[in-house]
Amino acid sequence: MDPQPTRALTEIEQLRLKIVLANCPGLDALAGHVRSFAHMLTERQGERLPHRLDAVRQDDLPSLHTFAAGIDRDRDAVIAGLTLPWNYGVVEGHVNRIKMLKRQMFGRAGFALLRKRVLLAP
């Protein structure tokens, strides 16, 4: 099993978590899947995705089955996103900033001013 998330919890919190998970097998299974997906994300282990999705399908957790089916629709892209070091974070940040500027100026000024704000904004 993957590393436990309890390393950031106090002893009392760890005990409470253990009690809650012992009383609800579905929640315990869900927590295990969440931990394994989190580990796979942080360690960039996309090659483990098919195995993790198979493990999700074996449990009786319908909401996770829907999640697994959604990932399966674009499996190659998801594996690449979990494995490769590149991302579009900077580009998406700029797009978000431009959309915010556009919303702020809606109905107030024309394209020329919007263009200047986009190009000259820090």
Side-chain angles (χ1 to χ4, degrees):
M1 179 63 46
D2 295 319
Q4 299 290 321
T6 55
R7 61 179 167 242
L9 300 177
T10 65
E11 260 185 64
I12 293 173
E13 291 171 333
Q14 289 179 18
L15 182 61
R16 288 177 182 162
L17 177 62
K18 192 178 286 187
I19 291 169
V20 168
L21 295 179
N23 289 321
C24 184
L27 188 58
D28 188 33
L30 176 64
H33 290 305
V34 169
R35 280 193 303 271
S36 67
F37 273 104
H39 182 72
M40 185 175 57
L41 284 168
T42 57
E43 299 297 321
R44 294 212 171 276
Q45 298 175 341
E47 67 279 353
R48 294 180 55 206
L49 182 67
H51 171 57
R52 294 304 328 140
L53 292 178
D54 290 341
V56 164
R57 286 188 190 94
Q58 291 175 2
D59 283 338
D60 185 27
L61 299 168
S63 59
L64 283 186
H65 293 177
T66 305
F67 172 71
I71 289 177
D72 271 336
R73 283 192 289 265
D74 205 6
R75 181 183 282 215
D76 292 337
V78 174
I79 290 173
L82 291 173
T83 308
L84 301 174
W86 307 294
N87 67 57
Y88 291 102
V90 174
V91 174
E92 290 299 325
H94 288 298
V95 168
N96 190 36
R97 180 180 60 84
I98 291 169
K99 286 181 177 181
M100 183 218 27
L101 289 171
K102 185 178 173 186
R103 278 191 300 271
Q104 287 176 343
M105 295 179 57
F106 183 76
R108 295 189 181 134
F111 179 75
L113 183 58
L114 175 61
R115 183 175 185 274
K116 284 182 183 178
R117 284 197 67 189
V118 167
L119 295 176
L120 299 176

